[in-house]
Amino acid sequence: MPDRPIALDEYPIHQVPLSLRYVATGDRNAYDRCIFHVMDHSGRALLIAGLGVYPNTGVIDAYATLRLGDRLYAVRASDALSDDRLALTVGPLTITVEEPLARLRLTCAADPADPDGLAYDLTWHAAFPATWEPHHTQYRGDRLMLEGRRFVQAGTCTGSIRVAGQELTVTAGEWTGTRDRSWGVRPIPGEDGGRAAEELRPEGFHWIWCPVRFDDRFVMVIVQEDADGHRTLNEALVVHEDAREVQLGWPHTEIGYRPGTRHPERAVLHLTGPGRKPLELTAEILTSSPLALGAGYPPADDWQHGTWRGRGWTDRRTYDLTDPAAHPLAAYGVTDHAARFTLDGRTGYGIFEHGSFGRHDPSGFTGYDSVAREAGR
């Protein structure tokens, strides 16, 4: 077909001498996506929703999962990427930017064939300015596998969620919402990894991503470490309502795992405040949602982001979480935990996202089959 300009080319926002139809790299793994977390303060429900664009594979996809009790309700959709990059709709899932960086609407249309299936209509309101996360890179051998530019933001949500004959009213005082936007290059399934994938397998990977909303401040903590504890990504920051940012030093973490697992039940993140004042950000896990179930993150075996499923593909399913043995891959993927946090006498709510795989010397884990033997370790 002819190479014609698209609507976005009308605007003076180009970064390279190309139509905005294209990205500046030919890497098949180029991506541009978002994730939202919406949680109630009692720990009853955790909704996770996201949308991604993969320009060099021609795919747009989206997902939503709701953890409610011992069930995880999931909706996933995928389609061919069109030239209308402002149309953030895939199947029943839509994200509408009503006011950039301030107000977004999230909707999931009901399935007429399944009136008890997941549906929602939510408005996400920013409570604090968006802030950049550190520039994120990962290598395998000499190859750049991941490079991402990301911002994160905390806010509130209003609206309703319907599922399994129930309707949850989402109110600003009883629910919190966080979100993350990222773009760059990130592995999509289906590529031959070559010798590097075979001979340079990582011995271990340890990850914490922790956005927390308090009434008067937003706290962001990120820790990424290799098997020996070498830190490859670090962030500890507090954002005030007036956009003032204060760094909180080099975080050290203590995680209390459920015995026989690497599932955190509580955590303490040791931070440093202004004037070198020691601070403790404590997390009490309320409910959890493994991203390998329903949300399309590796090592999911039923669907992963960026994979071509044909035009107009939609999938709805429910996962029973009462038997962990029924979902063995969930233990080898990142899990998002809705949590209640305390800091300097304040109570807040947010996400304690965590994954620890393989060896991690600071935690005492010796390999992929190593787990916590007792509470607190």
Side-chain angles (χ1 to χ4, degrees), residues 30-111:
Y31 82 103
D32 197 332
R33 73 187 189 207
C34 62
I35 186 170
F36 290 81
H37 297 89
V38 180
M39 72 212 77
D40 81 322
H41 296 174
S42 70
R44 181 187 180 196
L46 170 59
L47 176 78
I48 302 175
L51 182 147
V53 166
Y54 305 85
N56 291 338
T57 59
V59 173
I60 180 171
D61 54 32
Y63 64 91
T65 64
L66 175 70
R67 172 74 188 264
L68 186 65
D70 291 326
R71 296 290 185 272
L72 185 70
Y73 303 91
V75 180
R76 297 89 67 82
S78 180
D79 211 338
L81 180 63
S82 75
D83 288 342
D84 186 356
R85 300 301 168 84
L86 296 180
L88 303 181
T89 295
V90 195
L93 299 162
T94 297
I95 297 174
T96 304
V97 181
E98 295 186 340
E99 183 180 349
L101 302 177
R103 188 177 69 255
L104 298 95
R105 187 180 178 193
L106 315 176
T107 59
C108 177
D111 180 2

Side-chain angles (χ1 to χ4, degrees), residues 21-300:
R21 180 197 306 270
Y22 308 110
V23 288
T25 175
D27 194 320
R28 71 182 291 274
N29 297 307
Y31 82 103
D32 197 332
R33 73 187 189 207
C34 62
I35 186 170
F36 290 81
H37 297 89
V38 180
M39 72 212 77
D40 81 322
H41 296 174
S42 70
R44 181 187 180 196
L46 170 59
L47 176 78
I48 302 175
L51 182 147
V53 166
Y54 305 85
N56 291 338
T57 59
V59 173
I60 180 171
D61 54 32
Y63 64 91
T65 64
L66 175 70
R67 172 74 188 264
L68 186 65
D70 291 326
R71 296 290 185 272
L72 185 70
Y73 303 91
V75 180
R76 297 89 67 82
S78 180
D79 211 338
L81 180 63
S82 75
D83 288 342
D84 186 356
R85 300 301 168 84
L86 296 180
L88 303 181
T89 295
V90 195
L93 299 162
T94 297
I95 297 174
T96 304
V97 181
E98 295 186 340
E99 183 180 349
L101 302 177
R103 188 177 69 255
L104 298 95
R105 187 180 178 193
L106 315 176
T107 59
C108 177
D111 180 2
D114 181 14
D116 287 337
L118 177 62
Y120 55 79
D121 188 342
L122 301 169
T123 301
W124 188 95
H125 308 265
F128 299 91
T131 187
W132 291 113
E133 297 182 23
H135 195 71
H136 194 180
T137 60
Q138 282 184 290
Y139 285 83
R140 179 171 291 178
D142 295 330
R143 182 182 175 186
L144 179 66
M145 299 297 296
L146 183 153
E147 181 176 20
R149 176 79 274 190
R150 302 153 62 105
F151 69 76
V152 65
Q153 195 171 22
T156 60
C157 274
T158 56
S160 63
I161 302 171
R162 297 177 301 281
V163 71
Q166 303 181 59
E167 179 162 347
L168 308 179
T169 301
V170 179
T171 58
E174 299 175 343
W175 294 69
T176 284
T178 64
R179 73 180 186 118
D180 174 275
R181 275 278 292 117
S182 68
W183 57 92
V185 173
R186 186 169 182 164
I188 300 171
E191 182 179 46
D192 181 358
R195 180 181 68 85
E198 183 66 29
E199 297 183 359
L200 300 174
R201 297 177 184 272
E203 292 185 63
F205 177 78
H206 188 80
W207 169 258
I208 296 169
W209 181 81
C210 193
V212 187
R213 176 183 174 265
F214 295 91
D215 286 341
D216 63 346
R217 65 198 60 195
F218 168 60
V219 175
M220 185 69 206
V221 178
I222 305 174
V223 173
Q224 178 179 292
E225 294 180 344
D226 294 335
D228 61 1
H230 177 76
R231 191 163 297 184
T232 53
L233 195 66
N234 183 85
E235 178 76 306
L237 191 72
V238 59
V239 181
H240 295 273
E241 293 171 302
D242 60 3
R244 180 170 49 94
E245 297 184 357
V246 178
Q247 293 178 321
L248 299 177
W250 186 270
H252 295 277
T253 63
E254 297 177 46
I255 300 176
Y257 293 100
R258 182 182 302 159
T261 74
R262 295 198 196 185
H263 180 94
E265 296 183 319
R266 61 195 174 281
V268 179
L269 291 80
H270 298 276
L271 311 172
T272 303
R276 312 301 296 175
K277 175 187 176 183
L279 296 171
E280 289 187 352
L281 178 65
T282 65
E284 174 194 354
I285 304 304
L286 300 174
T287 192
S288 306
S289 187
L291 294 180
L293 294 185
Y297 285 79

